């Protein structure tokens, strides 16, 4: 089985954020697909590769690094609601051993995804809830199914050297800021808490 190509490293995204954003400036239908190259037969038939959990997960990473709040929340909602069959626990291990910062960020993002999705479940909105709820009793009667982080994410070690992620305006947080993410701090990454919740 082929593995989805890894997203750009943090340094590349931050070096030219406008170039990175340009790839996502069109309608989501133009970029919500696998980045794997189609086979020769598929290229001949002009078949668009379907989307994959890893491709969406890597877009979440890019939007997070770029501090693109609207796209981040839209992609989280897309992963959660449009593909309830995509379990967070089943996201394949990126095996990103050559880029510890990117691997650490991907690790924490699985936890953030669980937090966002499980909050909805606690509110009585399972991942496959319809966009417009007409029968809250039916939803309340369903068993609550909570997401869990993938097994691989539990084994990723914190960074040896502290890393700082700036916001979209280039402002680098300090360790005394009040709005830092504790989840990222545990991985030795200093960054402001992203806006991950949606209803």
């Amino acid at each position: 089985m082929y593995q989805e190509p890894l997203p750009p490293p943090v340094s590349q995204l931050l070096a030219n954020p406008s170039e990175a954003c340009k790839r996502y400036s069109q309608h989501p239908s133009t970029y919500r697909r696998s980045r794997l190259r189609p086979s020769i037969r598929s290229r001949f038939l002009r078949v668009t590769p379907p989307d994959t959990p890893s491709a969406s997960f890597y877009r979440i990473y890019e939007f997070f690094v770029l501090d693109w709040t609207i796209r981040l929340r839209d992609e989280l909602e897309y992963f959660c609601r449009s593909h309830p069959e995509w379990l967070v626990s089943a996201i394949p291990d990126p095996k990103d051993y050559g880029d510890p910062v990117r691997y650490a960020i991907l690790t924490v993002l699985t936890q953030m995804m669980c937090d966002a999705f499980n909050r909805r479940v606690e509110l009585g909105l399972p991942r496959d809830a319809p966009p417009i709820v007409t029968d809250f009793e039916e939803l309340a009667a369903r068993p609550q199914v909570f997401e869990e982080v993938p097994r691989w994410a539990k084994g990723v070690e914190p960074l040896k050297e502290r890393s700082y992620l700036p916001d979209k305006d280039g402002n680098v947080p300090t360790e005394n800021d009040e709005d830092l993410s504790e989840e990222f701090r545990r991985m030795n990454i200093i960054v402001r808490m992203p806006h991950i919740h949606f209803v």
Side-chain angles (χ1 to χ4, degrees):
M1 181 176 177
Y2 295 102
Q3 190 163 353
E4 199 71 40
L6 284 164
V10 172
S11 58
Q12 182 179 330
L13 289 169
L14 296 180
N16 196 346
S18 60
E19 185 64 30
C21 292
K22 195 182 299 183
R23 285 183 281 126
Y24 300 109
S25 61
Q26 303 299 317
H27 190 273
S29 63
T30 65
Y31 62 75
R32 281 188 173 149
R33 58 181 181 266
S34 171
R35 293 174 60 204
L36 291 169
R37 293 187 179 187
S39 66
I40 294 174
R41 181 177 179 186
S42 295
R43 258 187 272 135
F44 178 74
L45 296 174
R46 298 190 179 194
V47 174
T48 301
D51 208 358
T52 67
S54 291
S56 179
F57 178 46
Y58 294 161
R59 291 192 296 270
I60 289 170
Y61 154 85
E62 290 192 61
F63 299 146
F64 166 74
V65 172
L66 294 168
D67 192 27
W68 198 351
T69 300
I70 293 174
R71 283 284 199 239
L72 174 64
R73 287 199 306 210
D74 285 350
E75 195 66 28
L76 285 167
E77 185 172 5
Y78 166 76
F79 191 110
C80 178
R81 296 184 61 234
S82 296
H83 291 282
E85 75 280 8
W86 290 354
L87 302 180
V88 176
S89 60
I91 293 174
D93 185 350
K95 299 179 180 177
D96 196 6
Y97 310 124
D99 191 331
V101 174
R102 182 171 56 192
Y103 204 16
I105 292 172
L106 291 169
T107 297
V108 179
L109 286 176
T110 63
Q111 182 180 344
M112 295 281 178
M113 293 168 74
C114 289
D115 291 346
F117 301 173
N118 290 343
R119 179 175 180 246
R120 285 176 48 87
V121 173
E122 289 170 353
L123 293 173
L125 294 169
R127 289 187 57 183
D128 61 349
I132 299 174
V133 178
T134 57
D135 190 347
F136 282 97
E137 290 183 8
E138 187 273 329
L139 287 183
R142 296 187 193 180
Q144 290 188 323
V145 179
F146 294 99
E147 294 290 331
E148 296 181 359
V149 299
R151 185 178 300 170
W152 60 263
K154 299 175 183 177
V156 178
E157 296 290 328
L159 297 174
K160 294 179 180 177
E161 294 185 14
R162 183 150 292 174
S163 183
Y164 297 81
L165 288 183
D167 63 18
K168 66 179 180 298
D169 298 318
N171 300 312
V172 179
T174 69
E175 296 179 38
N176 297 322
D177 289 347
E178 295 182 359
D179 57 348
L180 299 180
S181 164
E182 289 303 317
E183 294 83 357
F184 277 99
R185 192 198 293 265
R186 285 193 285 272
M187 291 298 286
N188 215 6
I189 298 171
I190 304 301
V191 64
R192 290 182 176 85
M193 181 66 187
H195 299 281
I196 60 170
H197 294 295
F198 57 92
V199 177

